[in-house]
Amino acid sequence: QLHLQESGPGLVKPSETLSLTCDVSGFSLTRGHYWDWVRLPPGKGLEWVGTVHHTGSNYNNPSLKSRVSISVDTSRNRFSLKFNYVSAEDTAFYYCARRYYPGSGTYYYDAWGPGIMVTVSS
Amino acid sequence: SYGLTQPPSLSVSPGQTARITCSGDAVSKKYVYWYQKKSGQAPVLVIYDDTKRPSGIPDRFSGSSSGTTATLTVTGAQVDDDADYYCYTTDSSVDPLFGGGTSLTVL
């Protein structure tokens, strides 16, 4: 059974880099689909952060400009988020999730980690 | 525009029917999915491919889509359905799009 688990610091200082990791079990990243980070800021809605494929190709939400970098480590079956120059506006629950392609139609999220709260504060 | 618009909030009494809409150009082009989000929990898929219900989701949840509007209907809402609901699809490429979310209060 597919299981995702986020890990990383719960507190990051402004202007520093936020680093999170998502460990995946029960499914090999090399079997495909997309692997995403999604966040939920307090009082706001879900926001897609970025995506990585097991080949290493990645892309992120244009609204976050070039602050986001997502990488994959297939040997450890995990993927990671680096978020540069964070500010208080980046305070949020961060979720890793699988974006599944059923063979036709649209990619959609079918599995999520429990989430990790990250606060940006000095 | 490929944004998705939802009403911010909706309140119903237990046993009533709640209808949450999701509007946008992308709705007419792609399947819509609905996620239930409770505080402290990961999102849960309640409707996929516009109208289908995953196993384990109660049959009081249903979905429909026509033109540029998709609708999540909760027939006979229960207190346990009190949550935020998000519609989701992808834009002209495959970039994820979430609606702004609707806070459903069942009280």
Side-chain angles (χ1 to χ4, degrees), chain A residues 93-109:
Chain A
F93 262 100
Y94 284 78
Y95 297 93
C96 61
R98 182 176 77 172
R99 195 149 51 98
Y100 170 77
Y101 184 62
S104 63
T106 308
Y107 283 87
Y108 67 96
Y109 295 104

Side-chain angles (χ1 to χ4, degrees), chain B residues 37-107:
Chain B
K37 176 73 178 72
K38 294 184 178 180
S39 180
Q41 299 181 21
V44 173
L45 182 69
V46 295
I47 293 291
Y48 69 101
D49 291 359
D50 289 347
T51 62
K52 299 174 183 174
R53 198 171 48 249
S55 61
I57 299 301
D59 60 6
R60 63 180 179 274
F61 289 90
S62 63
S64 63
S65 184
S66 179
T68 59
T69 299
T71 302
L72 172 69
T73 301
V74 186
T75 304
Q78 300 183 4
V79 173
D80 187 55
D81 301 331
D82 197 297
D84 295 332
Y85 291 85
Y86 293 88
C87 60
Y88 162 88
T89 188
T90 55
D91 65 10
S92 56
S93 56
V94 290
D95 286 359
L97 279 178
F98 287 104
T102 298
S103 176
L104 175 64
T105 300
V106 183
L107 187 62

Side-chain angles (χ1 to χ4, degrees), chain A residues 1 3 6 11 15 19 32 61-62 71-72 86 91 93 97 104-105 122:
Chain A
Q1 185 175 358
H3 182 74
E6 305 88 350
L11 181 64
S15 80
S19 295
N61 189 327
S71 60
V72 63
V86 296
T91 292
F93 262 100
S104 63
S122 55

Side-chain angles (χ1 to χ4, degrees), chain A residues 3-5 7 21-30 54 71-80:
Chain A
H3 182 74
L4 299 93
Q5 181 68 55
S7 61
T21 295
C22 181
D23 285 292
V24 179
S25 59
F27 187 90
S28 172
L29 295 179
T30 61
H54 73 86
S71 60
V72 63
D73 183 344
T74 55
S75 67
R76 301 179 74 175
N77 217 44
R78 60 169 44 170
F79 60 104
S80 300

Side-chain angles (χ1 to χ4, degrees), chain A residues 26-102:
Chain A
F27 187 90
S28 172
L29 295 179
T30 61
R31 290 180 59 189
H33 305 296
Y34 284 143
W35 303 89
D36 285 23
W37 289 95
V38 176
R39 69 180 183 177
L40 182 64
K44 297 185 179 180
L46 292 169
E47 179 183 32
W48 167 63
V49 174
T51 295
V52 71
H53 188 256
H54 73 86
T55 56
S57 64
N58 64 91
Y59 61 107
N60 56 49
N61 189 327
S63 70
L64 301 175
K65 298 185 173 62
S66 57
R67 295 195 295 134
V68 171
S69 172
I70 301 178
S71 60
V72 63
D73 183 344
T74 55
S75 67
R76 301 179 74 175
N77 217 44
R78 60 169 44 170
F79 60 104
S80 300
L81 167 70
K82 286 194 185 304
F83 207 141
N84 299 322
Y85 306 108
V86 296
S87 69
E89 291 185 350
D90 298 313
T91 292
F93 262 100
Y94 284 78
Y95 297 93
C96 61
R98 182 176 77 172
R99 195 149 51 98
Y100 170 77
Y101 184 62

